[in-house]
Amino acid sequence: MLKIKDLAVNVGAKEILKGLNLNVNAGEIHAIMGPNGAGKSTLSHVLSGKSGYDVTGGSITYNEKDLLEMPAEIRAREGVFLAFQYPVEIAGVTNVYLLKAALNAIRKHKGLSEVDAMDFLTLVKSKTKALDMDEKFLYRAVNEGFSGGEKKRNEILQMAMLEPQLCILDETDSGLDIDALRIVADGVNALRSENRAFIMVTHYQRLLDYIKPDFVHVLADGKIIKSGGAELALELEEKGYGWLEQA
Amino acid sequence: MSANNDEINNLLNQDYKQGFVTDIQADTFPVGLNEEVIAKLSKVKNEPEFMLEYRLKAFRHWQTMPSPDWAQLNIDPIDYQEISYYSAPKSKENAPKSLDDIDPEILDAYKKLGIPLAEQEQLAGIAVDAVFDSVSVATTFKHKLQEVGVIFCPISEAIREYPELIKQYLSSVVPVGDNFFAALNSAVFTDGSFVYIPKGVRCPMELSTYFRINASNTGQFERTLIIADEGSYVSYLEGCSAPQRDENQLHAAVVELVTLKEARIKYSTVQNWYPGDKEGKGGIYNFVTKRADCRGDNSKVSWTQVETGSAITWKYPSCVLTGDNSVGEFYSVAVTNNLQQADTGTKMIHIGKNTKSTIISKGISAGKAQNTYRGLVKVLKSAENARNYTQCDSLLVGDKCGAHTFPYVEVKQPTAQIEHEATTSKISEDQLFFCQQRGLSPEDAVSMIVNGFCKQVFKELPMEFAVEAQALLGLSLEGSVG
């Protein structure tokens, strides 16, 4: 589904990614771990099409298409979803309005008709319930006055509604208490399917206790320096990153 | 709601769509202004003697007044001798007797604007007065309104048919010498709408006036007077547009509202005069004096305005809260893009006891535009327990535009409660990226964020207007992203 080859990315004059390789197949969950400043967030942003990043080399192929050629909204409509580390607030725009606008933009891209209002409402209510969210959240302005945990849950709600193929979770566990983490993890697990892949960017093993990855990669100094199975995360938890970077 | 978004999307890809010119035969005065021109104007309009005196008095006063320069606006000097003060579509006789007598080109022009004048098409149940350049060309539903005693007609007709009402109320809210543009308007106004709602009548339909400037080098000076007698209610809508021309055109209107005891007027405006091109060439100078006098106890006036057009807007719809317990409201969205300038706001003058006013102003600037809110809340000694709430928010799109806020508060009564809140925010790159990451195009994202910002005001608009306003927002912010 996703093939990242020799990806090199600068921010300004600074090299952040220096030849990163990663293959992700449908149905897989990949965890990207690594020390601060290794380029984890840069990877999430470059995949989702945020501006301000200068791709100096390499390629990203997504479903046999050149991902880097697509503007951010086309990537989203093609099924790339980024769950933000810091979800933004939008005053006066209700959650339900955003969800419907987004869903319809994606449906239109796929050549489908706009979602029927009643069907939409039924759908959104069931997803909200599954995430243990109060329906009132739907009618509040996007993330306005939400707690950290509520914002992250809201990201997962959007993910559940938009049914992306490639989900990128950027430090989704940061700022979550253990109960919120469990709810978010349950939400993600419920979305696991053989057609969908996940890339989870995280600092800590903690999230991986709840969402079991198929692969764990260590990103350091702009490259993936080690890959392994779920057990690699445990090893990292125990030893830190130092032993890998020195190797 | 997503249907709206589609609509906005379509609109985003258009230029100023009301910019067409209608090719009709017109009687237009040569440019220039003096007492003779005013006498000729009064004569063409077949006015009674008192009106000529009124006009000349205003003109003489205007000549003594300097053009105001206190607003946060850059205005090239206007040569008032280079403007024609009267232009009327030529018709077979003096005035059109029915829609059949109206030049089909004009009917077509209104059709293009989405304003069907033919009554059989009036499914929306809105009575329309259409003002084309200097004259009112059609007023629909007049007879149906007359059945309940509502008078809705061109003001030139009211001057002839209802001189007593005119003498009593004209300039009773905005005195002839109130300000430079009001004095000019009083001297040369050509048409506009007149509304009288009798005691206890709830006007059975929305009343609407649609103003269009067609002729070049012509100023439009319209005058609107609405009187809501005791216990009555009316909702009035005003729309405007003009062809795309390279030179600036002047629009100096005066609107006066009077509410007697327990009467209510809801006045909504969607102003979409031609704003000029991206380099700031052309566009309408919109200098408007709008004021309401809540003369009777327990009366109420709401101004709702969506201002997206004009090169320059200078406009402060105000309420004089004379009656005890009277209420004034002002809800405004002002959008400026490219090189547009707006200096707009309101005045709330509290005179009566327990008077209440609310001001919600949303200013949006994009491109290199400048947007100014200027407001005055004045509480006189007599206004015990007066209350005001002001909320004034500015939204910036891009980093070359400006937002300015000048709230003035004058309180002479210690029991008054005045609240003022103001915010300035920017559409951040993070917000835009977030919306794009959910599949929305940058244009849809901006229009969604802006609509969210304006929500408090849009919900005050009548339904059809709210849709138009949303669409206009998308249109006027076209090209403001990236």
Side-chain angles (χ1 to χ4, degrees):
Chain A
M1 176 189 285
L2 183 75
K3 290 190 183 76
I4 305 177
K5 220 180 148 212
D6 296 325
L7 184 68
V9 175
N10 286 10
V11 175
K14 198 171 177 225
E15 288 183 290
I16 306 288
L17 298 182
K18 306 168 185 172
L20 185 142
N21 291 290
L22 181 68
N23 284 335
V24 177
N25 296 312
E28 296 174 350
I29 296 194
H30 291 247
I32 311 266
M33 303 182 74
N36 283 325
K40 299 192 301 290
S41 279
T42 299
L43 178 63
S44 316
H45 289 157
V46 170
L47 284 172
S48 51
K50 192 174 184 184
S51 59
Y53 296 91
D54 189 10
V55 178
T56 55
S59 63
I60 306 177
T61 316
Y62 169 71
N63 286 341
E64 313 306 323
K65 290 177 195 158
D66 183 352
L67 190 72
L68 293 170
E69 282 295 301
M70 300 178 201
E73 67 271 23
I74 302 298
R75 297 184 200 195
R77 293 172 200 170
E78 291 275 337
V80 177
F81 183 97
L82 173 65
F84 285 76
Q85 185 178 3
Y86 304 109
V88 296
E89 302 183 1
I90 307 176
V93 176
T94 56
N95 250 332
V96 74
Y97 183 89
L98 172 79
L99 284 169
K100 198 171 171 200
L103 186 62
N104 279 329
I106 291 166
R107 288 179 63 93
K108 201 172 159 191
H109 184 74
K110 290 180 180 160
L112 298 170
S113 64
E114 290 200 346
V115 63
D116 172 80
M118 287 316 289
D119 294 349
F120 173 77
L121 219 56
T122 313
L123 182 70
V124 78
K125 282 184 176 172
S126 75
K127 303 275 187 193
T128 309
K129 202 170 166 207
L131 281 163
D132 203 19
M133 285 172 80
D134 194 319
E135 267 183 33
K136 277 186 282 188
F137 277 95
L138 293 173
Y139 302 99
R140 280 172 57 181
V142 177
N143 293 326
E144 207 179 39
F146 285 30
S147 72
E150 286 164 350
K151 283 182 183 174
K152 293 293 169 76
R153 249 189 277 179
N154 206 21
E155 294 290 292
I156 306 301
L157 172 66
Q158 290 160 28
M159 189 193 283
M161 284 299 294
L162 303 179
E163 304 192 321
Q165 277 186 48
L166 176 64
C167 307
I168 305 158
L169 283 72
D170 191 5
E171 308 261 359
T172 293
D173 49 335
S174 69
L176 289 189
D177 62 34
I178 209 76
D179 292 332
L181 183 67
R182 188 176 294 125
I183 293 165
V184 165
D186 287 349
V188 171
N189 285 325
L191 287 170
R192 290 183 80 151
S193 90
E194 54 185 23
N195 307 317
R196 186 171 291 138
F198 289 84
I199 296 175
M200 294 191 296
V201 172
T202 180
H203 263 300
Y204 304 109
Q205 153 68 24
R206 199 174 67 146
L207 178 66
L208 308 183
D209 290 338
Y210 296 94
I211 307 170
K212 198 172 170 325
D214 301 302
F215 301 94
V216 173
H217 309 276
V218 178
L219 176 59
D221 194 27
K223 283 181 189 165
I224 286 177
I225 55 169
K226 189 168 179 65
S227 298
E231 71 289 347
L232 177 58
L234 294 168
E235 207 176 341
L236 289 169
E237 183 84 346
E238 199 180 312
K239 298 188 191 169
Y241 297 109
W243 62 282
L244 284 170
E245 285 176 287
Q246 282 151 21
Chain B
M1 287 301 266
S2 57
N4 285 344
N5 250 339
D6 276 350
E7 207 171 332
I8 291 166
N9 241 344
N10 294 336
L11 283 157
L12 271 166
N13 301 319
Q14 293 176 23
D15 288 325
Y16 185 73
K17 70 168 180 175
Q18 291 91 348
F20 60 88
V21 177
T22 309
D23 190 15
I24 45 140
Q25 294 274 312
D27 281 323
T28 304
F29 281 13
V31 298
L33 183 60
N34 52 44
E35 295 200 0
E36 255 172 70
V37 169
I38 290 169
K40 197 170 148 196
L41 188 102
S42 188
K43 192 158 179 267
V44 171
K45 293 253 148 207
N46 211 4
E47 287 177 351
E49 187 61 26
F50 80 91
M51 272 312 292
L52 178 60
E53 282 165 30
Y54 168 94
R55 288 176 184 281
L56 290 176
K57 194 177 132 205
F59 177 65
R60 286 168 195 150
H61 192 85
W62 175 72
Q63 285 176 304
T64 68
M65 300 173 92
S67 184
D69 61 358
W70 43 262
Q72 184 91 355
L73 300 169
N74 279 317
I75 309 172
D76 288 336
I78 300 164
D79 187 345
Y80 292 93
Q81 298 302 338
E82 282 301 309
I83 296 169
S84 165
Y85 288 83
Y86 183 80
S87 176
K90 224 177 227 168
S91 56
K92 294 155 214 155
E93 292 172 37
N94 286 339
K97 299 277 184 292
S98 75
L99 284 173
D100 300 338
D101 294 341
I102 296 171
D103 192 324
E105 291 272 359
I106 294 176
L107 286 181
D108 203 45
Y110 279 98
K111 212 168 148 190
K112 271 190 220 166
L113 295 167
I115 305 154
L117 293 174
E119 298 205 13
Q120 63 269 30
E121 289 178 43
Q122 284 287 327
L123 296 170
I126 299 171
V128 181
D129 185 19
V131 177
F132 200 82
D133 291 332
S134 306
V135 293
S136 172
V137 291
T139 307
T140 59
F141 278 115
K142 222 160 136 178
H143 300 291
K144 195 169 168 202
L145 289 167
Q146 266 164 10
E147 284 168 22
V148 288
V150 170
I151 303 170
F152 179 43
C153 68
I155 199 159
S156 50
E157 187 180 319
I159 287 167
R160 294 189 298 266
E161 308 285 326
Y162 313 100
E164 292 316 311
L165 284 173
I166 294 289
K167 277 187 201 162
Q168 188 181 349
Y169 289 105
L170 188 70
S171 281
S172 73
V173 184
V174 179
V176 163
D178 185 79
N179 66 70
F180 184 83
F181 297 109
L184 177 63
N185 174 285
S186 300
V188 302
F189 78 82
T190 42
D191 224 328
S193 297
F194 175 82
V195 177
Y196 173 79
I197 314 291
K199 267 184 201 175
V201 170
R202 190 184 164 91
C203 187
M205 59 182 80
E206 312 248 10
L207 303 183
S208 157
T209 299
Y210 203 92
F211 296 102
R212 176 143 182 98
I213 301 178
N214 186 58
S216 59
N217 295 319
T218 304
Q220 191 175 48
F221 303 93
E222 92 259 357
R223 187 90 186 192
T224 299
L225 176 58
I226 301 177
I227 304 148
D229 211 328
E230 292 180 11
S232 67
Y233 169 80
V234 63
S235 167
Y236 182 88
L237 321 173
E238 175 199 76
C240 359
S241 69
Q244 217 158 325
R245 295 188 188 278
D246 284 346
E247 68 273 18
N248 295 112
Q249 284 180 283
L250 179 64
H251 172 255
V254 173
V255 175
E256 295 178 278
L257 312 184
V258 181
T259 48
L260 301 185
K261 205 172 135 194
E262 280 162 17
R264 286 186 299 143
I265 298 178
K266 183 176 170 63
Y267 193 106
S268 314
T269 306
V270 171
Q271 184 264 110
N272 183 29
W273 296 115
Y274 178 53
D277 67 11
K278 286 195 173 63
E279 278 75 49
K281 203 170 174 200
I284 302 284
Y285 287 174
N286 192 32
F287 302 121
V288 177
T289 305
K290 287 184 165 170
R291 197 173 303 158
D293 187 1
C294 291
R295 213 162 275 180
D297 292 351
N298 307 314
S299 65
K300 177 177 171 181
V301 168
S302 298
W303 297 102
T304 306
Q305 60 170 17
V306 177
E307 304 277 319
T308 63
S310 299
I312 295 174
T313 298
W314 180 98
K315 179 179 169 185
Y316 316 90
S318 306
C319 296
V320 181
L321 302 170
T322 315
D324 290 347
N325 313 311
S326 60
V327 177
E329 293 175 338
F330 174 74
Y331 300 97
S332 168
V333 168
V335 186
T336 48
N337 195 2
N338 297 319
L339 289 164
Q340 276 178 279
Q341 308 175 64
D343 192 307
T344 183
T346 184
K347 289 188 276 186
M348 294 290 176
I349 316 291
H350 292 257
I351 299 172
K353 293 188 187 73
N354 307 314
T355 46
K356 226 168 91 180
S357 62
T358 304
I359 300 170
I360 308 281
S361 163
K362 304 276 181 179
I364 299 154
S365 308
K368 296 177 187 158
Q370 297 295 323
N371 203 324
T372 300
Y373 168 80
R374 187 183 302 277
L376 169 68
V377 177
K378 191 171 182 173
V379 179
L380 301 191
K381 187 96 188 68
S382 53
E384 283 167 34
N385 298 315
R387 276 177 23 209
N388 163 265
Y389 173 75
T390 300
Q391 184 189 336
C392 192
D393 299 322
S394 307
L395 183 69
L396 304 174
V397 186
D399 54 8
K400 294 189 181 65
C401 52
H404 316 271
T405 306
F406 300 97
Y408 303 90
V409 176
E410 280 179 49
V411 180
K412 303 229 163 63
Q413 166 54 250
T415 58
Q417 284 181 41
I418 311 284
E419 283 178 78
H420 182 93
E421 286 180 30
T423 65
T424 301
S425 52
K426 258 187 89 164
I427 294 189
S428 69
E429 298 230 336
D430 286 344
Q431 280 177 325
L432 265 186
F433 175 61
F434 172 78
C435 294
Q436 279 177 273
Q437 219 303 308
R438 295 298 176 260
L440 304 177
S441 67
E443 288 79 10
D444 281 351
V446 168
S447 111
M448 186 177 82
I449 294 167
V450 169
N451 274 307
F453 176 74
C454 301
K455 203 178 200 173
Q456 272 173 297
V457 174
F458 284 172
K459 71 177 173 31
E460 298 297 326
L461 286 170
M463 188 57 183
E464 316 77 44
F465 254 33
V467 173
E468 188 183 341
Q470 286 196 9
L472 268 178
L473 270 196
L475 184 61
S476 31
L477 289 171
E478 177 189 355
S480 61
V481 195

